[in-house]
Amino acid sequence: MKSYKYSVPIMNATVNAGSRGEYLRLMKRSKVERVFLCICDLWDNEDTVQRNIDSLRDNIAFFSENGIEAAIWQGVTVGHGAVLSHDTDAVRKKVYAPIVDINGKVIEDTRCPLDASFRSDLSAYIARLAAETGAPLILLDDDFRISQHSSAPCCACDAHLALMSELCGEEIKREDIREKVFTSKSGKYRTAYLKAMGDSLRALAADLRRAVDKVAPDVRIGFCAVPCSWNIDGTSGTEIARILAGGTRPCLRLSGAPYWATVSDKTMPMVLESERMYLSLCKGTDAELMAEGDVYPRPRYTVPAAHLEIFDAAIRASGFGGILKYMVDYSTSPYYEQSYLKHHTRNLHLHEAVGEIFDGKMSAGVRVYVCDGITENADYTLSTPTHYTPSVKAGEMLQNCGIPTFYGDGNADCTAVFGEAARHIPLDMIKKGAILDGVAAVILTERGIDVGIAPNPILSFREFPFIKTDNEKNISVFKGKARLITSPISEKVAVTASIATGDCLPLAYRYQNTDGQSFTVFTFDSETVDRKSGLLRGYAIERILLDGITAIGKKKLPAHCPASPDLYTLCSRGEGSLAVGLFNCYADSVLDPVIELDREYASARFEGCEGRVESNKLYLSDLPAFKFAAVELFE
């Protein structure tokens, strides 16, 4: 079975002679192989630096001598833009040039990578950690980024403006960036902007690596990526990881955490789709990749252990090799919050069984096409710029309705592509058709594919109270707004959903062109739709998606449980077998679930549930809220 490594972050300040034994007991009981000892201090106070180094050295030696790898997690570099809950006592003595967004807002507690003194001081400090603590790995927290420090893009400090101006051969003023870079078609201004951001991050990463190579060349440096790491920062997560690694193995923690689904509008399907999407962007790398099992700000009354456990199980089924699983409180003793670890230990056997069922099989379901590098060529007169590029809206919409998805290689029943990714998708990937949003439909039309809309369409915002479908019994309630295609659509389309009032504009349609390609098109720009909107979830949307998938692929999905909101579903095919993972990310139990299968199966193995298989249907016991199960079916 594929190995799966559990790593746990612990605040180094809570590890001492009186607590080490309890931490060790907890880690051993939980089969944790590595701890990351986190420090959140800067490097500008020698007494603090030396005290941290002495403590880290002792703690790393203790864990290593007792069979657990111990690494360092440096909790601040560029800066988070705000003081985090576990960093409230930190004192910043030295002031560096801050990051500035394109509106001129100075971002507090940040340091711009173009500040030479910052690069020099940070490099010297990381080199000291590498040389004096015995750590085999130093992981940099997810503030190792530029853009995602404000609601507006960053950085537009004077140094970055000067670099952008030099790169494009004319002066760029801060007040020009929004128009020339983020509301226009691609061109030299955006190219200069992205190169300036990317070059500054690459320079910082290279300086860190050079400094460590001089004193401890075998010590690895990794980092925690965020959404902007893959596009708007002008680089990619894998590129920065390679630079930081030098001649060692790269280490990269990906992005998408359970706490997102608790403290924001993001849903658990969106979180899981994010992690799996970023994993697909790392194809071909030899990097160590970890999922972000973060329950910030901890403890358990903030983010339930059930959210972390279902996340871990789905990540394991998705082919990850490990998780950074945040299971101890950051600010208190190891005796304060042990329930994350208790839930983890209770579920370990089921996690391992899920991994065993999915191991060695090929993903199946709807392929969601994404790629990095989208920002460079995006047309922002058509689409909506966002830190979250590439977008997971397509996969999120499908999984809201329990439709199995995958990214990259697999057995595709059909393909979904939303937004600017349509500019890059190989056309042979959609030779049978595809599921599209409005932006993707416009882009494919520009590329010469007939998807049922007129050339040069108009998109505009509309507000509407609810929608109607082609089935009067299948109505979705919706409150909000979306940016829609309002220009003519072919008379040959079959409208499957429309605004129920006013001009009754189509919201979804199905269309087959003269080449035999079938398209299900949602006419809205998916980036303008709220995540919990009725346009991205609900029984009507589920039915439209299922009918579209059947029309495109000419066959049923490998497995699907109808009318089960947020029942995150994964499928993988083996030789004569099918793995099905069901992860109930909703507050209701799934009662008497009946899973529709695409073929007949003779027998099944059940983990986390009871059940039986009869021909092409799978009958299971109830699946409670935030519980998960896996079934292996045999032909």
Side-chain angles (χ1 to χ4, degrees), residues 278-327:
Y278 294 129
L279 179 64
S280 75
L281 298 180
C282 297
K283 180 184 177 181
T285 180
D286 65 341
E288 177 187 358
L289 304 171
M290 297 181 289
E292 183 188 5
D294 195 353
V295 287
Y296 180 84
R298 295 158 295 277
R300 192 166 53 95
Y301 56 72
T302 304
V303 179
H307 291 193
L308 179 58
E309 291 304 294
I310 200 169
F311 174 88
D312 185 8
I315 287 300
R316 189 163 189 158
S318 299
F320 271 79
I323 181 174
L324 188 60
K325 196 169 183 181
Y326 303 54
M327 293 191 287

Side-chain angles (χ1 to χ4, degrees), residues 185 374 377-380 382-384 417-425 427 430 436-451 453-457 459 485 525:
K185 294 180 180 292
I374 286 174
N377 297 311
D379 178 0
Y380 289 141
L382 168 66
S383 58
T384 305
V417 57
F418 280 15
E420 287 284 344
R423 206 174 297 281
H424 303 267
I425 189 171
L427 295 183
I430 58 170
L436 312 172
D437 76 344
V439 171
V442 173
I443 292 171
L444 289 179
T445 300
E446 293 172 352
R447 294 182 66 183
I449 306 297
D450 177 15
V451 301
I453 62 173
N456 304 312
L459 277 77
I485 296 175
D525 174 358

Side-chain angles (χ1 to χ4, degrees), residues 92-149:
R92 316 302 195 209
K93 287 190 173 182
K94 186 169 181 178
V95 177
Y96 298 95
I99 285 179
V100 181
D101 73 18
I102 65 172
N103 295 326
K105 178 183 177 182
V106 175
I107 311 303
E108 65 171 314
D109 194 29
T110 58
R111 292 150 286 280
C112 178
L114 287 181
D115 184 331
S117 64
F118 163 56
R119 292 203 311 274
S120 176
D121 290 350
L122 178 60
S123 297
Y125 167 69
I126 296 297
R128 283 189 66 183
L129 294 181
E132 300 177 30
T133 64
L137 167 63
I138 300 170
L139 185 69
L140 309 179
D141 202 4
D142 58 15
D143 63 322
F144 198 85
R145 64 186 191 267
I146 293 183
S147 187
Q148 212 165 336
H149 281 100

Side-chain angles (χ1 to χ4, degrees), residues 327-343:
M327 293 191 287
V328 297
D329 186 68
Y330 264 16
S331 305
T332 57
S333 79
Y335 301 96
Y336 178 66
E337 174 60 273
Q338 295 191 357
S339 289
Y340 285 121
L341 287 160
K342 288 179 180 178
H343 283 267

